[in-house]
Each structure stands twice: as C-alpha cells, then as structure tokens.
C-alpha cells in the first residue's frame, strides 16, 4: 500500500483551508464524527439507496432540469456525468468515503503513518486463526 499518507496530508490541508481547524477538536469528537458517517452509511443502506447518486433537479444546469427522474429522486451512474462536478454525491459508498476522509484528516493532522499502521495490522491479521479462534461476530 502506498500513497495513503500523501492522501491524508492533502485531506488535512483541505480541511484546514476550509476552516475546520479554527477551533480545536478533541479525539472524542473526531471519533464521534467518524461514527456519524458510518451511521449515515447504515441509514443509506436501510433506505435501499444506491452506492452513489445525485439528487434529481439541482437547478444548476439544463441537463438536470431536462432529465427525467429514475423512479423517485435519483440520477444514477455515468449517464449523469454532465453535472456531477457541481452536485453533492450521496449514497452508501459516499458515506463510507466520508468516514475514511475523517480518519485520514486526523492522521494528517497528527502525522500518523497510517500506511505503515495498515500494513502492520494487515500482516498481523493474516496470522490469526479462522474467525480469531471461534468468535461468532
């Protein structure tokens, strides 16, 4: 695995540039924010949302205004690339990405070598017994 530390640095620089570090955040708040993104992913799953979609009818371009809705609210997939740059992506994968972004932001802030930590933990996990010796969940 390579490049993830650079991504963490870039994500943290973007968060700083957008004002998210004008006030200090404690570790507990960071963890709660990560948890909230995972909860949003679960809700998206429960609502049977696609992995990635854009709400229909953003009003920002003719493509959106003239496009018929895919049953309900969604413009899904590559057919809607014309306006993806100015529309907020939604869905299960997006919420999972938000959690990863929050984790990498923290790693970038703290100078954590997350690439090494992931590699170290993955190598250890490969040595564990099947289901860690019989765990059910």
């Amino acid at each position: 695995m390579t490049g993830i530390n650079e991504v963490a640095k870039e994500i943290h620089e973007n968060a700083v540039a957008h004002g998210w570090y004008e006030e200090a955040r404690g570790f507990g708040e960071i963890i709660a924010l990560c948890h909230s993104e995972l909860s949003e992913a679960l809700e998206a799953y429960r609502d049977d949302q696609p992995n990635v979609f854009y709400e229909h009818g953003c009003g920002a371009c003719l493509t959106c205004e003239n496009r018929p809705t895919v049953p309900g609210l969604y413009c899904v997939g590559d057919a809607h690339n014309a306006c993806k740059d100015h529309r907020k992506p939604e869905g299960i994968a997006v919420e999972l990405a938000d959690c990863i972004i929050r984790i990498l932001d923290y790693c970038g802030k703290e100078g954590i070598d997350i690439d090494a930590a992931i590699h170290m933990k993955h190598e250890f996990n490969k040595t564990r017994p099947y289901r860690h010796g019989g765990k059910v969940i």
Side-chain angles (χ1 to χ4, degrees):
M1 295 182 198
T2 59
I4 198 164
N5 289 330
E6 290 81 17
V7 173
K9 181 178 183 238
E10 185 177 327
I11 285 170
H12 179 65
E13 288 171 355
N14 184 59
V16 170
H18 284 87
W20 294 112
Y21 282 88
E22 291 177 359
E23 296 178 18
R25 287 185 172 167
F27 185 70
E29 182 179 358
I30 299 296
I31 295 302
L33 290 168
C34 293
H35 185 272
S36 71
E37 300 299 350
L38 293 174
S39 294
E40 289 176 9
L42 178 58
E43 289 305 309
Y45 175 81
R46 287 177 172 167
D47 290 343
D48 199 29
Q49 292 179 355
N51 282 325
V52 178
F53 70 93
Y54 302 88
E55 285 190 49
H56 180 74
C58 68
C61 69
L62 289 175
T63 302
C64 293
E65 291 306 303
N66 294 328
R67 182 177 165 79
T69 58
V70 175
L73 302 172
Y74 311 132
C75 295
V76 183
D78 294 335
H80 206 59
N81 278 339
C83 62
K84 72 179 181 180
D85 291 336
H86 66 264
R87 299 186 72 189
K88 183 181 177 214
E90 304 281 354
I92 297 166
V94 175
E95 299 304 339
L96 294 173
D98 280 342
C99 183
I100 293 167
I101 287 167
R102 288 198 181 276
I103 292 168
L104 292 179
D105 175 32
Y106 180 78
C107 292
K109 175 184 177 288
E110 296 297 322
I112 293 171
D113 184 347
I114 194 62
D115 185 54
I118 291 170
H119 180 75
M120 179 186 351
K121 182 62 178 178
H122 177 60
E123 290 302 314
F124 174 75
N125 284 347
K126 290 196 281 187
T127 70
R128 292 182 130 170
Y130 183 78
R131 291 198 175 196
H132 300 191
K135 290 184 180 179
V136 177
I137 296 179

